[in-house]
Structures are given as structure tokens and as C-alpha cells.
Amino acid sequence: MIGNSGAVEALTVRQIEALLDHLPKAPFFVKDSELRYVGANTAMVELCGARHRTDIIGRSASKLFPPALTERFENMDRSVIRSCKPIRDRLELVQSLHGPPAWLLFGRWPVIGVRGKVIGVAAISRNLDAPDRRDPAYARVSRAVEQMQARLAEPFDIRLLARESGVSPAKLERDFVRVFGVSPRRYLIKARLDCAYDLLDTDKSIAEIAHMCGYKDHSEPRRESRRAPGLSHAAI
């Protein structure tokens, strides 16, 4: 709606759907607190193997995706709702019950109601082009990202990541640039900054946040953000 000041205060789910219908390779959805779809753009409808938006609205992922994938996605949804923290830059091979498999790079964010309570979860993703869906590069990067997220506080070791992925460091570097457009080290800078930003509104001290996110001292996130323009958070 438009406020008296003329500024855009909010968009409805239907308006967002209409906007994002113009992005054919960017599936988008909104779920309520019961994890039922309440909004989806055309790309999401196609990913689900459905014909119309009404085929998925009001349904849960279990009606549209295999059980193992449904459990993984809904666990992420519940984590976002419970923690009120987003999940960013996840890479998944998605197979619907009726559509072809697709590699997606996605993020999930909490939907906040008028009283400040989390009332659902929203997600948008990018459908990654692949001449061959069996291309192992996406699986390698997905595993490497999971390891990096699990070891944010540890020193960066590209050789260890590459060994765990079964390729050379140079090959893993190329895979990251292909998928994310940045090197593994630059991806880690962003992941650490995201982690620090998300912890700012908790009861943890700046020193604790720095340690949890892999920084040597509390001033390092600010220095890091200045060295990586475009990846920084102004609040850090």
C-alpha cells in the first residue's frame, strides 16, 4: 500500500508474485507458519510440476516433492521461523514429483507480522543452467559450502576443502567462480559477514560474535567489509 508520505510501505503477496512472474529462472514462494504455500511465482509453479498457481497454494511440500527432500526443506523452514534468521546461499538438487530435476541456489527469510512475530517463511532461488544435470560441479560446491558454513570459526584451508571434494584446489576455485561468481575465499568473507550481521541483535558480545564467525578480534569484520566492497553490512 502507499502511505500518506507517498513512500511504498508494503507489497502484498499477489503483487510480489506478479513482479517475480517476469523472472523465469527464479522460483519464489511464501509459506505460512504451518508450512503451507500461500504464494508462488510462475517459476515455482513450474518447478513443482504443476500447471497453475492454485495447484500448490494451500498445500505443503510433501504433496509436491519426495519425502527426503521435503524433510530437508521443512527443517530449514522451521529453523528460519524458530530463529528468525535467514538461510543464504544454499545449493540443492531439487526433484519434484512431477517435474525434471534442477540445481537451485536459494535463500530463505522469515516473514514478520505486524506485531513483530514470525508468521511464515519466504524464499527465492536461482535456477542454475547445466548442460547435464548430472554435472558433479554443483554437488562439489554444495558439499564445500556446507563444510565452510560448519567451520566458519576455523582458518580457511582450500586444500582441505578440495581434498574433501575429491578435486584439486584449482578445480574447486573454478567451480566456485562458475556457480557463485566469486572464489571460495571471497565466498567465505561474505559468509562470515552474514554470520556476524545476523548475531548483532542477540545478547552475545561483539568479541563473542567475532570469535564465532572466525575473526581474530572484534575490529576485523569492519576491516574485512572495507576490503570487500559489495559484500559488507553497514551495521558491522
Side-chain angles (χ1 to χ4, degrees), residues 158-159 162 167-177 184:
I158 183 64
R159 289 171 294 184
V167 294
S168 68
K171 175 61 175 172
L172 189 60
E173 291 264 1
R174 291 194 296 271
D175 287 344
F176 261 78
V177 172

Short mmCIF file of all heavy atoms in Angstrom, two decimals, residues 158-159 162 167-177 184:
data_model
loop_
_atom_site.label_atom_id
_atom_site.label_comp_id
_atom_site.label_asym_id
_atom_site.label_seq_id
_atom_site.Cartn_x
_atom_site.Cartn_y
_atom_site.Cartn_z
N ILE A 158 41.84 -24.10 1.63
CA ILE A 158 41.32 -24.53 0.34
C ILE A 158 41.78 -25.94 0.00
O ILE A 158 41.05 -26.71 -0.64
CB ILE A 158 41.74 -23.54 -0.78
CG1 ILE A 158 41.14 -23.93 -2.13
CG2 ILE A 158 43.26 -23.45 -0.87
CD1 ILE A 158 39.64 -23.88 -2.19
N ARG A 159 42.99 -26.33 0.47
CA ARG A 159 43.48 -27.68 0.17
C ARG A 159 42.63 -28.75 0.86
O ARG A 159 42.34 -29.79 0.28
CB ARG A 159 44.94 -27.81 0.57
CG ARG A 159 45.90 -27.03 -0.34
CD ARG A 159 47.30 -27.01 0.19
NE ARG A 159 47.37 -26.27 1.44
CZ ARG A 159 48.50 -26.02 2.10
NH1 ARG A 159 49.65 -26.47 1.62
NH2 ARG A 159 48.49 -25.34 3.22
N ALA A 162 39.26 -28.91 -0.97
CA ALA A 162 39.43 -29.59 -2.26
C ALA A 162 39.59 -31.09 -2.07
O ALA A 162 39.01 -31.90 -2.82
CB ALA A 162 40.62 -29.00 -3.00
N VAL A 167 38.83 -33.07 -5.63
CA VAL A 167 39.41 -32.37 -6.78
C VAL A 167 40.60 -31.54 -6.31
O VAL A 167 40.88 -31.44 -5.11
CB VAL A 167 38.37 -31.44 -7.46
CG1 VAL A 167 37.25 -32.26 -8.09
CG2 VAL A 167 37.81 -30.43 -6.47
N SER A 168 41.29 -30.93 -7.25
CA SER A 168 42.42 -30.07 -6.91
C SER A 168 41.90 -28.71 -6.44
O SER A 168 40.77 -28.32 -6.74
CB SER A 168 43.30 -29.86 -8.14
OG SER A 168 42.61 -29.08 -9.12
N PRO A 169 42.72 -27.97 -5.68
CA PRO A 169 42.31 -26.62 -5.28
C PRO A 169 41.94 -25.73 -6.46
O PRO A 169 40.97 -24.98 -6.39
CB PRO A 169 43.55 -26.10 -4.53
CG PRO A 169 44.20 -27.32 -3.97
CD PRO A 169 44.00 -28.37 -5.03
N ALA A 170 42.70 -25.84 -7.54
CA ALA A 170 42.41 -25.01 -8.72
C ALA A 170 41.05 -25.35 -9.32
O ALA A 170 40.30 -24.45 -9.74
CB ALA A 170 43.51 -25.19 -9.77
N LYS A 171 40.72 -26.64 -9.34
CA LYS A 171 39.42 -27.06 -9.88
C LYS A 171 38.28 -26.56 -9.00
O LYS A 171 37.26 -26.08 -9.50
CB LYS A 171 39.38 -28.59 -9.99
CG LYS A 171 38.03 -29.15 -10.44
CD LYS A 171 37.63 -28.66 -11.82
CE LYS A 171 36.36 -29.33 -12.29
NZ LYS A 171 35.86 -28.73 -13.55
N LEU A 172 38.43 -26.66 -7.68
CA LEU A 172 37.38 -26.18 -6.78
C LEU A 172 37.22 -24.67 -6.91
O LEU A 172 36.11 -24.15 -6.85
CB LEU A 172 37.72 -26.55 -5.34
CG LEU A 172 36.60 -26.29 -4.32
CD1 LEU A 172 35.34 -27.10 -4.66
CD2 LEU A 172 37.06 -26.62 -2.90
N GLU A 173 38.33 -23.94 -7.09
CA GLU A 173 38.26 -22.49 -7.32
C GLU A 173 37.41 -22.21 -8.55
O GLU A 173 36.54 -21.33 -8.53
CB GLU A 173 39.67 -21.93 -7.50
CG GLU A 173 40.53 -21.95 -6.26
CD GLU A 173 40.51 -20.62 -5.52
OE1 GLU A 173 39.81 -19.70 -5.98
OE2 GLU A 173 41.20 -20.52 -4.50
N ARG A 174 37.66 -22.93 -9.62
CA ARG A 174 36.90 -22.72 -10.86
C ARG A 174 35.42 -23.06 -10.67
O ARG A 174 34.53 -22.37 -11.19
CB ARG A 174 37.49 -23.56 -12.00
CG ARG A 174 38.85 -23.08 -12.47
CD ARG A 174 39.23 -23.70 -13.80
NE ARG A 174 39.37 -25.15 -13.72
CZ ARG A 174 40.51 -25.78 -13.41
NH1 ARG A 174 41.61 -25.08 -13.13
NH2 ARG A 174 40.56 -27.10 -13.36
N ASP A 175 35.15 -24.13 -9.91
CA ASP A 175 33.76 -24.50 -9.65
C ASP A 175 33.02 -23.38 -8.91
O ASP A 175 31.87 -23.06 -9.23
CB ASP A 175 33.70 -25.78 -8.81
CG ASP A 175 34.08 -27.02 -9.60
OD1 ASP A 175 34.08 -26.95 -10.84
OD2 ASP A 175 34.36 -28.06 -8.97
N PHE A 176 33.66 -22.78 -7.90
CA PHE A 176 33.03 -21.71 -7.14
C PHE A 176 32.75 -20.50 -8.02
O PHE A 176 31.67 -19.89 -7.95
CB PHE A 176 33.92 -21.30 -5.96
CG PHE A 176 33.50 -21.90 -4.65
CD1 PHE A 176 33.81 -23.23 -4.35
CD2 PHE A 176 32.78 -21.18 -3.72
CE1 PHE A 176 33.42 -23.80 -3.15
CE2 PHE A 176 32.38 -21.74 -2.52
CZ PHE A 176 32.71 -23.05 -2.23
N VAL A 177 33.71 -20.13 -8.85
CA VAL A 177 33.51 -18.99 -9.74
C VAL A 177 32.36 -19.27 -10.71
O VAL A 177 31.54 -18.39 -11.00
CB VAL A 177 34.81 -18.67 -10.50
CG1 VAL A 177 34.56 -17.62 -11.57
CG2 VAL A 177 35.87 -18.17 -9.53
N PRO A 184 36.31 -19.25 -3.55
CA PRO A 184 35.93 -19.77 -2.23
C PRO A 184 36.29 -18.82 -1.09
O PRO A 184 35.50 -18.66 -0.15
CB PRO A 184 36.72 -21.09 -2.12
CG PRO A 184 36.96 -21.50 -3.52
CD PRO A 184 37.13 -20.23 -4.30
#
